[in-house]
Amino acid sequence: MKLPIYMDNHATTPVDPRVVEAMLPFFTEHFGNAASRQHRFGWIAEEAVENARKLIAGHINADAKEIVFTSGATESNNLALKGIAEAYSTKGRHLITAKTEHRSVLDVCSALELVGFRVTYLDVDECGTVSPEALRDALSGETILVSVMMANNEIGTIAPLMEIGKICLERGVLLHTDATQCFGNIPLDVKALNVHSMSISAHKIYGPKGIGALYVRGKNPRVRLVQQMDGGGHEHGMRSGTLNVPSIVGFGKAAQLAGQGHDADSVRIAGLRDLLEKRLLAAGDSHRNGHPTERLPNNLNITFPYVHADDLIVALKNDVAISSGSACSSADHEKARVSHVLSAIGLTDEAAQCTVRIGLGRFNTEEEVDYAGGKIIEALHRLRETSPQYQMIKHTKGAAVSASVH
Ligand SMILES: *Cc1c(COP(=O)(O)O)cnc(C)c1O
């Protein structure tokens, strides 16, 4: 067993060696520009790109033509929201999203508000679920786009997207979803879900960083979108720039591997997660956040009252890598002392600061989960010993118990 054990797979995943192997020839041997139409170097690169496009499209029941390659889900969310808002602004200037979305959706919404769009931010319940009824009530004749993430990257809650899709279809409103955390973990079908655009990213599915895609519905209806990157007109004019061929090949391979193994592996990973969860909850005075059943198979988000998450994470640094929330917001220390997701599900700032996120993945073993569980509990006990608040609460509770006994 190699230490520290990586258990932060919501932030990123290691690249699968089979993905690396597929990518390698495209750096030095097949280095052509996929847009070069006049020679074999270009043809080989183009063929590889189109093959990857098919594999990715197949994974979400889309057509290869509906896949636009981007630099990742952040760019995909930007392209979808800004591109659709711009294209449909004559129809209306209202968007609806949820308070628990990823920053790459929320910050785009703020940017759109600055240029005259109105955005409704839906509340979620204590499990992190958006209410389809609340969405229905928020829709108006001005609404052009709804953006609801398929699964949350902190607490793992899976949205009732099927119902949301039906409402949007009824009302003739476009639906975008950020499915970055779902791709490879749970089956995805853009047609069944009735989504018009969907963001995905390779580095969350054991592919390379810096490559992602946006699914853009091509018919019934054909979604219009204003490009946010002007240039050579690549990707049907929706995203200019020379294609990152090696990464696209890697993304395709990662999607293929996810497609082959995702049922059995998701069950295995959920089993490991459940083991860990049971053990950590048994440590007492802790609670799990998110939805009891509608949740990602690899997610565990847990609050240990009176033990600051930063202290726990530091105490574990040589044994297991976990996090206190989204890596994307922790990149910006000023803005995010407390997770907006945990606030939205009703946690106090104090509880939110005592919350950790554990993200299991393809390469975690039962031995690792066992070891990590032991180390987390050990660290927890040590930190509780030195936490004046915890000791005080324990004593009050103890007093209350003995008072009721006598
Ligand atoms: C990781 C993540 C993103 C950002 O993806 P990048 O490819 O790193 O830009 C967006 N949304 C969700 C839900 C994520 O988990």
Side-chain angles (χ1 to χ4, degrees):
M1 204 167 49
K2 213 171 138 243
L3 297 179
I5 299 161
Y6 187 71
M7 289 194 178
D8 194 17
N9 285 279
H10 298 296
T12 194
T13 54
V15 181
D16 192 300
R18 294 166 289 183
V19 168
V20 176
E21 198 186 328
M23 289 172 71
L24 284 176
F26 291 88
F27 286 101
T28 48
E29 195 184 339
H30 307 310
F31 56 82
N33 184 327
S36 298
R37 292 277 156 76
Q38 289 156 329
H39 48 67
R40 187 170 303 278
F41 297 91
W43 303 333
I44 291 173
E46 191 195 9
E47 193 189 327
V49 165
E50 294 317 312
N51 183 43
R53 205 188 293 279
K54 268 193 214 115
L55 291 169
I56 294 160
H59 196 87
I60 58 172
N61 192 24
D63 209 69
K65 288 196 295 290
E66 298 175 312
I67 301 296
V68 175
F69 286 114
T70 64
S71 64
T74 297
E75 189 190 333
S76 297
N77 285 334
N78 271 264
L79 177 58
L81 271 66
K82 291 178 184 164
I84 289 174
E86 218 178 309
Y88 291 81
S89 62
T90 50
K91 199 176 159 232
R93 297 177 77 81
H94 179 229
L95 288 81
I96 301 174
T97 188
K99 288 188 176 162
T100 48
E101 292 290 309
H102 190 264
R103 285 270 300 276
S104 58
V105 166
L106 292 177
D107 287 4
V108 172
C109 287
S110 306
L112 287 170
E113 284 177 309
L114 290 178
V115 294
F117 288 88
R118 193 165 64 81
V119 182
T120 301
Y121 300 89
L122 296 174
D123 285 316
V124 295
D125 65 14
E126 71 283 0
C127 298
T129 309
V130 173
S131 150
E133 286 316 308
L135 168 73
R136 193 193 292 278
D137 293 343
L139 286 166
S140 78
E142 278 279 296
T143 314
I144 49 173
L145 179 65
V146 170
S147 180
V148 174
M149 75 199 313
M150 178 98 197
N152 187 270
N153 51 302
E154 290 188 42
I155 55 174
T157 301
I158 297 172
L161 215 64
M162 198 74 99
E163 279 174 80
I164 291 172
K166 276 193 196 125
I167 295 170
C168 291
L169 184 68
E170 256 169 47
R171 300 286 294 261
V173 173
L174 298 178
L175 174 60
H176 170 71
T177 191
D178 176 351
T180 311
Q181 291 290 339
C182 291
F183 195 64
N185 275 321
I186 58 172
L188 286 175
D189 182 329
V190 290
K191 294 197 176 79
L193 290 170
N194 244 309
V195 296
H196 299 93
S197 58
M198 176 188 276
S199 300
I200 50 180
S201 181
H203 76 100
K204 305 287 174 83
I205 63 158
Y206 312 96
K209 292 168 187 58
I211 190 76
L214 180 67
Y215 155 78
V216 183
R217 185 175 283 256
K219 55 175 192 253
N220 307 319
R222 181 182 143 85
V223 173
R224 287 179 290 124
L225 190 148
V226 175
Q227 80 278 9
Q228 302 296 308
M229 185 87 85
D230 295 309
H234 306 73
E235 300 296 272
H236 306 296
M238 289 195 231
R239 203 276 190 177
S240 286
T242 301
L243 289 176
N244 181 348
V245 179
S247 292
I248 290 171
V249 168
F251 191 6
K253 185 69 187 176
Q256 186 187 31
L257 294 172
Q260 284 164 356
H262 87 342
D263 292 339
D265 213 37
S266 288
V267 171
R268 183 188 71 88
I269 291 169
L272 292 180
R273 188 270 316 273
D274 292 344
L275 276 177
L276 189 59
E277 175 176 317
K278 216 167 134 194
R279 195 156 167 207
L280 295 182
L281 289 178
D285 292 312
S286 53
H287 64 87
R288 189 199 63 215
N289 301 303
H291 198 283
T293 54
E294 296 302 306
R295 60 195 297 217
L296 289 173
N298 60 337
N299 176 271
L300 179 56
N301 188 291
I302 195 161
T303 304
F304 299 110
Y306 311 109
V307 174
H308 203 288
D310 292 345
D311 295 335
L312 184 59
I313 290 164
V314 168
L316 291 166
K317 69 176 190 296
N318 295 322
D319 293 307
V320 50
I322 58 174
S323 73
S324 59
S326 162
C328 311
S329 32
S330 46
D332 183 349
H333 296 285
E334 286 308 307
K335 257 187 176 167
R337 278 317 297 162
V338 167
S339 147
H340 66 283
V341 175
L342 299 177
S343 298
I345 60 170
L347 260 61
T348 60
D349 287 1
E350 290 72 32
Q353 281 169 349
C354 297
T355 300
V356 295
R357 176 183 72 175
I358 300 174
L360 298 181
R362 179 181 291 169
F363 299 110
N364 286 127
T365 63
E366 187 164 348
E367 188 194 9
E368 286 180 341
V369 167
D370 188 51
Y371 179 86
K375 286 292 175 187
I376 294 170
I377 289 169
E378 218 180 277
L380 199 60
H381 285 321
R382 223 173 31 243
L383 290 166
R384 280 173 172 175
E385 288 298 313
T386 57
S387 157
Q389 279 160 308
Y390 186 80
Q391 291 304 326
M392 203 167 78
I393 295 294
K394 209 175 82 178
H395 278 111
T396 336
K397 267 196 197 162
V401 169
S402 42
S404 67
V405 168
H406 297 292

